[in-house]
Amino acid sequence: MEKSLLETLSPTAVWTYFNQICQIPHTSGHEQNIGQFLLDTAEKLGLEATRNESGNVHIIKPASSGMENRPSVLLQAHMDMVGVKDTEKEFDFQKECVTPLITDDGFVTADGTTLGADNGIGMAIILAILNDASLRHPRIKALFTVSEETNMKGAVALTAEDIDCDTAINIDSEDIGEICIGCAGGSSYNIVYEPDIKAVPDTGFRALEIRMSNGLGGHSGIDIHKKRLNGGGAVLSLISSLRDEGFKVCISDFKAGTVRNSIPSEASAVLCIPEHLIGKSINSLQDMINRLQTKFSETDSNASFEVTRLDTLPTFMLTDEATDDVLKLKALNTKVTEYLDDGVTPLTSCNMGVARLENNRFHFELLARYATTEGKAGIEKKINDIVASGRAKITHYDCYTFWQPDFDSRLLKLASEEYRKLTGLDSVTTVIHAGLECGLFKTLNPKLDVISIGPDIYGAHSTKERVRISSVDTCYRWIQHILESI
Ligand SMILES: [Zn+2]
């Protein structure tokens, strides 16, 4: 790997802006300086720019002469990035800047941190378009939103006036040649169950630990249908099967997952069991684990389980009834409940991202996704029913809307024609089972014709994040061509 000389890459304007963006810390909630950079850049270009209360930045570029009557275009990217670093790396995302590196195989990546190509490349492409004096284009409104990665705060704060355009191109997709025209909505839930607990008797009881590790985990939407083990769901199922076989184990500790938008790849539970049953229960557990691993051998083959007798007894355990309640709540991990007609693309799903026993409270964090109003109603009813059956309480609820695909979109047709002319290849139209800000634009301006595109970005939100250099060039030229012929 060579140290970055991003400006030597093509298109120069895009990579120069991206290099400048890399030098400004800009994780979610800390977009003050990157916003100022966008305002300063607009000023240098002589363009009208504003930053509103939410922190979103708007820049207007009037149409080239003769293009005033063409449909106006909103070009949009988000300002924030996800800050993830290698465990051993010392790095402060609020103070330090990422170091981009050019790899021998044609990518730009970062040294031990996320790169922020998601969505820094989107911002850089838009700035390069605004800077391009030779381009013939309609009226352009550039929109840079804050905090997309956490709660879409910027997009949520938008008004109809902010997106008063005929068409919109969101540059936050991660596969060159794909044109995304729809996305899922999402509902976040925090659920709390306060169990009855009792002291573990000093004699006659033993404790055992079940631990799952090395699961694939993954994105709670994009990967939800890939038949991967959800750590929390898997370990709760094992406990449930044990109780079904008559081993009255009670939960004493439970940990799975840290964030709702990721499938937990590991989990652990401590169980208390009458001493005379411990040997048999471990044997049964081993059989159940073998069956589970066979079932997932094709789709999550590295997931491993360990069952250990513990030397020390915990002080407390859940009562029988409370353990039953928690096991009912495992149904909250519904995974995919409904598919599109193709039988592959998920329509409705729910990921149990967090399930933890802390300070004598069981705490769940869910992310439910849906692509239709009926899907939303269905999954929400299901979650409410399960919560009620397990005598738990919903303590937080938040949602954002889905984006219904329009397969007759004029912009889609134009973008796919221009892609074919540019590359000789056919584009692919997609609808994704994850959230994009475009869903919110459509609610404010239902007539807006929207697509989402972007260069090839792999491993976003991880230290493996990398962007394919050639795809940035293709993406930039693709957008130029769309603007010229719109
Ligand atoms: Zn993004």
Side-chain angles (χ1 to χ4, degrees):
M1 268 185 220
E2 227 177 89
K3 205 161 158 42
S4 159
L5 282 168
L6 292 187
E7 287 95 337
T8 61
L9 303 175
S10 169
T12 318
V14 176
W15 289 105
T16 305
Y17 281 127
F18 184 64
N19 198 30
Q20 290 169 0
I21 289 166
C22 288
Q23 286 161 37
I24 305 165
H26 59 280
T27 48
S28 311
H30 305 279
E31 296 102 340
Q32 179 65 23
N33 294 342
I34 195 80
Q36 192 57 48
F37 164 74
L38 296 168
L39 294 172
D40 294 346
T41 307
E43 200 186 322
K44 276 183 208 154
L45 298 174
L47 300 175
E48 177 196 332
T50 48
R51 169 155 53 180
N52 63 17
E53 231 167 82
S54 65
N56 294 337
V57 171
H58 304 251
I59 305 175
I60 308 246
K61 189 175 187 192
S64 322
S65 86
M67 297 284 279
E68 296 85 353
N69 295 328
R70 303 289 184 90
S72 56
V73 180
L74 181 83
L75 291 179
Q76 188 258 329
H78 60 85
M79 278 188 236
D80 57 321
M81 69 175 276
V82 174
V84 178
K85 62 178 188 69
D86 284 336
T87 328
E88 66 275 14
K89 190 172 173 88
E90 297 272 330
F91 194 84
D92 182 346
F93 275 101
Q94 284 183 45
K95 295 202 183 98
E96 292 174 69
C97 11
V98 301
T99 312
L101 300 167
I102 301 168
T103 68
D104 294 339
D105 55 349
F107 285 84
V108 172
T109 186
D111 180 17
T113 66
T114 35
L115 171 64
D118 171 16
N119 199 198
I121 285 288
M123 283 195 278
I125 287 176
I126 296 174
L127 292 177
I129 294 273
L130 296 177
N131 187 12
D132 188 340
S134 62
L135 184 72
R136 284 180 47 74
H137 59 84
R139 174 179 181 265
I140 295 173
K141 189 176 215 178
L143 168 62
F144 304 90
T145 47
V146 295
S147 295
E148 185 271 349
E149 300 287 5
T150 46
N151 52 11
M152 298 205 192
K153 188 185 123 196
V156 170
L158 290 170
T159 64
E161 202 187 321
D162 292 332
I163 44 170
D164 56 347
C165 293
D166 301 306
T167 63
I169 305 175
N170 161 284
I171 313 174
D172 193 20
S173 282
E174 298 175 351
D175 260 302
I176 192 71
E178 284 195 5
I179 305 174
C180 177
I181 58 161
C183 75
S187 297
S188 308
Y189 291 85
N190 289 3
I191 290 156
V192 169
Y193 173 69
E194 301 203 29
D196 287 333
I197 54 171
K198 59 181 182 187
V200 180
D202 290 338
T203 54
F205 269 81
R206 291 296 304 265
L208 62 86
E209 185 189 55
I210 309 176
R211 187 174 281 277
M212 180 189 125
S213 36
N214 296 323
L216 275 172
H219 188 286
S220 61
I222 307 284
D223 298 321
I224 195 78
H225 62 296
K226 295 183 180 163
K227 304 205 164 36
R228 297 181 182 176
L229 282 157
N230 175 306
V235 173
L236 284 173
S237 299
L238 290 171
I239 301 170
S240 182
S241 306
L242 265 184
R243 284 179 68 88
D244 289 347
E245 290 197 3
F247 298 103
K248 290 291 175 205
V249 291
C250 287
I251 298 173
S252 181
D253 192 16
F254 198 91
K255 286 190 195 76
T258 52
V259 285
R260 75 177 84 247
N261 56 7
S262 166
I263 301 170
S265 56
E266 34 193 62
S268 68
V270 174
L271 308 175
C272 292
I273 184 164
E275 192 160 21
H276 67 283
L277 293 175
I278 186 134
K280 280 187 187 164
S281 68
I282 289 178
N283 289 342
S284 285
L285 213 40
Q286 216 52 66
D287 288 344
M288 292 167 194
I289 288 170
N290 290 344
R291 285 198 292 274
L292 196 62
Q293 282 179 317
T294 310
K295 191 171 159 194
F296 286 86
S297 60
E298 306 255 300
T299 51
D300 207 344
S301 56
N302 284 331
S304 58
F305 291 85
E306 231 179 306
V307 179
T308 327
R309 284 178 205 230
L310 300 180
D311 293 332
T312 45
L313 265 185
T315 332
F316 291 98
M317 60 183 178
L318 271 62
T319 61
D320 254 330
E321 246 192 350
T323 300
D324 277 335
D325 281 339
V326 169
L327 294 173
K328 282 179 197 149
L329 295 171
K330 82 174 191 307
L332 291 170
N333 186 42
T334 66
K335 298 183 186 172
V336 182
T337 51
E338 220 185 324
Y339 286 92
L340 279 179
D341 291 342
D342 65 5
V344 191
T345 316
L347 206 61
T348 322
S349 70
C350 180
N351 178 57
M352 188 168 79
V354 176
R356 287 180 170 262
L357 181 59
E358 264 164 5
N359 304 322
N360 296 336
R361 298 170 107 208
F362 235 103
H363 172 74
F364 297 88
E365 289 185 28
L366 315 180
L367 184 46
R369 300 181 191 266
Y370 36 79
T372 59
T373 310
E374 301 76 50
K376 179 177 193 223
I379 192 76
E380 298 204 328
K381 178 174 187 315
K382 197 171 171 105
I383 289 169
N384 279 299
D385 288 350
I386 298 166
V387 169
S389 79
R391 298 187 298 157
K393 270 193 216 111
I394 295 171
T395 56
H396 162 88
Y397 171 83
D398 202 6
C399 74
Y400 57 85
T401 189
F402 53 88
W403 167 24
Q404 194 118 38
D406 171 11
F407 290 93
D408 297 325
S409 151
R410 193 182 157 272
L411 184 58
L412 166 65
K413 233 170 258 151
L414 174 68
S416 62
E417 274 166 25
E418 291 303 325
Y419 190 74
R420 198 177 306 116
K421 276 191 225 160
L422 182 68
T423 63
L425 301 168
D426 284 335
S427 58
V428 178
T429 306
T430 60
V431 176
I432 61 163
H433 195 60
L436 283 172
E437 292 166 299
C438 317
L440 295 156
F441 303 167
K442 285 290 270 193
T443 351
L444 291 171
N445 181 355
K447 285 201 185 123
L448 193 72
D449 195 352
V450 192
I451 58 168
S452 173
I453 57 177
D456 284 337
I457 296 177
Y458 302 116
H461 305 188
S462 83
T463 58
K464 305 260 181 332
E465 182 183 3
R466 59 201 181 117
V467 55
R468 192 193 301 276
I469 296 164
S470 61
S471 71
V472 173
D473 188 55
T474 308
C475 186
Y476 181 65
R477 286 192 291 141
W478 187 13
I479 295 171
Q480 283 183 318
H481 288 210
I482 295 172
L483 292 171
E484 279 170 348
S485 53
I486 200 160

